[in-house]
Amino acid sequence: MASNTCLVMRIVSASVSVAKKAGTIVRDIRSKGSLGVVEKTGKNDLQTEADRKAQRCIVASLTRRFSGLIVIGEEELPKEEQIDENLIENGFSEEVDKSVCPEALKDVKMEDVVIWVDPLDGTKEFTEGTKYLDHVTVLIGVAVNGKPVGGVIHQPFYKFDTETQLYVGRTMWGVVGLGAFGFEHKDQTQGKRILTTTRSHGTEAVQETLAAMEPDEVLRVGGAGHKVLLVLEGRVSAYIFASMGCKKWDTCAPEALLQAVGGKLTDVHGNVYRYDKDIKHMNTGGVVAAYRKHDFYIERVPQSIKDVLPSQ
Ligand code: AMP
Ligand code: MG
Ligand code: MG
């Protein structure tokens, strides 16, 4: 049983183990080969059986464990009479449990918390064979009074073990005021300005904004979680997406980890997003995320782009 007395730490602890279980579900569905792809209402917006099953696992596991907890998942799913018990994960993370609760989070109550779940971020990449599988992440973000304070990013297809022929996977977590764990930050940009952005949802505005930043390199990869991971690890200088399209479940967990190490994720105006339960899902002002020098990127976004991307 999770033993930390602090609610946020108990939720993050459970989320670490639930995200790993969701990752197992995602891997299993891929190895069986039948992805069950459906096109959602938006253009270029897919959903697979892995998105659906991973979300059922996360939502059911967390709401059963934490009575009264509000959990908002990306996928709209029919309400199930009976939850498949095989989808329930009851574990916790010893590492999180033995960590000290930041002073600012000691008195958080259940009604202050909203969980934002992207059961499979990078669905497009998930459906495209093996080349982009490491772009896929499972995201569980913990918001308290509208602010992201904790998060888990699980990467189910991290490292292929040639002996077992299985992916090893890895799980990163963070709490604002405590830090972020499960990865190493090492600046690998060698003084270059390396930007990361979408590979499948590009627009003219996205292009124009990147060009205005005069990058040395642009890395086009899938997933909001994966792109923030590149920022967290120091493989790129910033994640820039000057377009609507990302939603609260894409940014809540990554933003919490980034904030936990002193980084920043905002819209193109430099305003932070809020994660209250009734907030609109779309991040209308785009995404600018950087480990350091966040202001520089905000200043470089052309005014004409800022004019058409409203803050929340
Ligand atoms: P990407 O960087 O294209 O992988 O997008 C990051 C996240 O935002 C993913 O969850 C995408 O599904 C979502 N996203 C970004 N742009 C769009 C869009 N135009 N339509 C639907 N989803 C989008
Ligand atoms: Mg997503
Ligand atoms: Mg998703």
Side-chain angles (χ1 to χ4, degrees), residues 40 42-46 74 118 120-125 135 139 197-203 221-225 227 239 241 243-247 249-250 282:
K40 293 201 273 189
K43 252 203 287 172
N44 204 359
D45 205 1
L46 304 176
E74 170 174 7
D118 190 338
L120 197 168
D121 183 44
T123 302
K124 180 111 172 72
E125 286 67 29
H135 298 193
L139 304 174
T197 195
T198 182
R199 63 174 279 277
S200 57
H201 296 103
T203 63
V221 299
K227 282 188 273 291
Y239 164 22
F241 183 58
S243 171
M244 299 188 194
C246 277
K247 325 284 186 318
W249 43 75
D250 290 305
M282 182 69 81

Side-chain angles (χ1 to χ4, degrees), residues 21 35 57 82 110 117 136 146 165-166 179 205 228 237 248 262 311:
K21 165 88 172 185
L35 300 189
C57 157
Q82 197 123 33
M110 200 65 84
V117 175
V136 169
Q165 294 288 301
L166 297 170
V228 173
S237 324
K248 295 293 173 300
S311 272

Side-chain angles (χ1 to χ4, degrees), residues 62-97:
L62 291 180
T63 51
R64 190 180 281 192
R65 178 100 63 105
F66 300 97
S67 171
L69 182 64
I70 296 169
V71 183
I72 303 175
E74 170 174 7
E75 312 305 335
E76 278 178 36
L77 301 174
K79 211 170 163 52
E80 292 199 312
E81 296 292 302
Q82 197 123 33
I83 294 160
D84 177 357
E85 289 300 318
N86 294 321
L87 294 179
I88 301 294
E89 171 58 45
N90 286 315
F92 60 92
S93 155
E94 236 170 75
E95 187 193 3
V96 181
D97 263 10

Side-chain angles (χ1 to χ4, degrees), residues 33-40 45-52 123-124 126-128:
S34 174
L35 300 189
V37 182
V38 294
E39 186 106 33
K40 293 201 273 189
D45 205 1
L46 304 176
Q47 184 199 69
T48 71
E49 180 55 19
D51 300 66
R52 296 185 283 275
T123 302
K124 180 111 172 72
F126 180 63
T127 62
E128 290 179 5

Side-chain angles (χ1 to χ4, degrees), residues 49-213:
E49 180 55 19
D51 300 66
R52 296 185 283 275
K53 207 166 170 188
Q55 177 161 310
R56 283 194 204 101
C57 157
I58 297 167
V59 174
S61 300
L62 291 180
T63 51
R64 190 180 281 192
R65 178 100 63 105
F66 300 97
S67 171
L69 182 64
I70 296 169
V71 183
I72 303 175
E74 170 174 7
E75 312 305 335
E76 278 178 36
L77 301 174
K79 211 170 163 52
E80 292 199 312
E81 296 292 302
Q82 197 123 33
I83 294 160
D84 177 357
E85 289 300 318
N86 294 321
L87 294 179
I88 301 294
E89 171 58 45
N90 286 315
F92 60 92
S93 155
E94 236 170 75
E95 187 193 3
V96 181
D97 263 10
K98 63 180 191 222
S99 302
V100 179
C101 181
E103 202 51 46
L105 299 176
K106 280 200 166 138
D107 299 324
V108 171
K109 292 181 275 312
M110 200 65 84
E111 58 267 32
D112 304 330
V113 182
V114 178
I115 308 296
W116 292 91
V117 175
D118 190 338
L120 197 168
D121 183 44
T123 302
K124 180 111 172 72
E125 286 67 29
F126 180 63
T127 62
E128 290 179 5
T130 52
K131 194 167 174 201
Y132 303 113
L133 280 179
D134 63 331
H135 298 193
V136 169
T137 59
V138 175
L139 304 174
I140 305 179
V142 183
V144 168
N145 297 321
K147 295 188 175 138
V149 301
V152 176
I153 303 179
H154 174 70
Q155 203 176 14
F157 299 102
Y158 180 71
K159 265 195 190 162
F160 188 72
D161 185 331
T162 46
E163 235 170 73
T164 60
Q165 294 288 301
L166 297 170
Y167 287 94
V168 179
R170 64 169 171 168
T171 310
M172 288 122 306
W173 65 278
V175 172
V176 176
L178 185 65
F181 310 92
F183 64 93
E184 199 189 335
H185 174 79
K186 191 159 166 258
D187 189 341
Q188 295 154 67
T189 59
Q190 299 179 308
K192 288 193 205 151
R193 188 175 305 141
I194 307 178
L195 305 180
T196 187
T197 195
T198 182
R199 63 174 279 277
S200 57
H201 296 103
T203 63
E204 264 177 43
V206 165
Q207 274 309 108
E208 191 186 329
T209 307
L210 290 167
M213 295 182 181

